[in-house]
Amino acid sequence: ELKVEQNPLFLSMQEGKNYTIYCNYSTTSDRLYWYRQDPGKSLESLFVLLSNGAVKQEGRLMASLDTKARLSTLHITAAVHDLSATYFCAGRGGADGLTFGKGTHLIIQP
Amino acid sequence: DTAVSQTPKYLVTQMGNDKSIKCEQNLGHDTMYWYKQDSKKFLKIMFSYNNKELIINETVPNRFSPKSPDKAHLNLHINSLELGDSAVYFCASSRRGGQGNIGELFFGEGSRLTVL
């Protein structure tokens, strides 16, 4: 059974700083997904990482995947307040559906 | 034009009642899901369903049952509601994972269920 662990679970940071969220998974997952959730809202897909070494960037967010280490990272560059949200990583364990990490609640303060 | 829509968005009910949440997707996807998000924001899959196969998470009580009148709809019916059923329930859809399909899930807005 696939297990997905994120850390940290809570992160408070200042605008302009850089930080990384880590996502480890327990067994082979051929793909890794990152989602964003704003309070009271739905989950929005940010990145889909399909292969070892994949790197994707969108604005101040960059995601990478290392399948050998079973690790994905979400890097935030020069954080701005609008990036405050809960970020989830998820993997596919073979059966349908995604297994999600517990989420990282990110607060970016001015 | 909402891709995955759920109704109702909010549902407040008494213990012991039976309730349903409806979900519709207009993305042409062949697989639909129900997820439960608890008060700590943990997301757990409850069901995945396409027109051939229902996969049930074994931890889901049999008071919960998915019903799919067609491939664009997957409703969630809950019998004998309990306090612990209070949560946000998300419907999602995808193309079934496989060659050429990235398996990305698209989520509805969620239905917040409160059991008193």
Side-chain angles (χ1 to χ4, degrees), chain B residues 6-24:
Chain B
Q6 300 178 224
T7 55
K9 287 189 167 32
Y10 300 95
L11 185 53
V12 180
T13 189
Q14 301 285 335
M15 271 175 39
N17 284 350
D18 302 340
K19 290 294 177 186
S20 293
I21 305 171
K22 296 184 177 181
C23 179
E24 176 182 4

Side-chain angles (χ1 to χ4, degrees), chain B residues 32-76:
Chain B
M32 296 183 72
Y33 311 83
W34 280 103
Y35 278 82
K36 178 180 180 180
Q37 186 172 47
D38 65 20
S39 58
K40 295 182 180 178
K41 297 211 170 212
F42 299 161
L43 274 161
K44 287 195 73 173
I45 188 167
M46 301 176 71
F47 305 100
S48 70
Y49 184 82
N50 67 20
N51 59 6
K52 299 176 184 175
E53 186 178 13
L54 171 67
I55 300 176
I56 303 170
N57 184 319
E58 61 186 14
T59 66
V60 175
N62 59 14
R63 299 180 293 103
F64 291 78
S65 56
K67 298 188 192 305
S68 180
D70 56 60
K71 65 187 272 186
H73 296 82
L74 183 66
N75 303 326
L76 181 65

Side-chain angles (χ1 to χ4, degrees), chain A residues 32-109:
Chain A
L32 200 290
Y33 304 78
W34 285 95
Y35 283 82
R36 168 180 173 152
Q37 186 180 34
D38 291 304
K41 301 292 186 183
S42 182
L43 282 87
E44 174 192 357
S45 178
L46 293 175
F47 301 108
V48 182
L49 302 167
L50 299 176
S51 61
N52 187 42
V55 176
K56 290 196 172 181
Q57 182 160 5
E58 180 73 34
R60 299 174 189 273
L61 300 178
M62 183 173 72
S64 66
L65 178 61
D66 181 343
T67 57
K68 293 180 181 177
R70 295 180 184 162
L71 171 68
S72 180
T73 61
L74 181 66
H75 186 74
I76 303 154
T77 301
V80 293
H81 178 69
D82 287 352
L83 291 178
S84 297
T86 300
Y87 293 86
F88 292 92
C89 65
R92 285 190 349 142
D96 280 334
L98 303 184
T99 298
F100 283 81
K102 291 183 177 178
T104 296
H105 183 51
L106 175 63
I107 297 173
I108 300 170
Q109 299 177 357

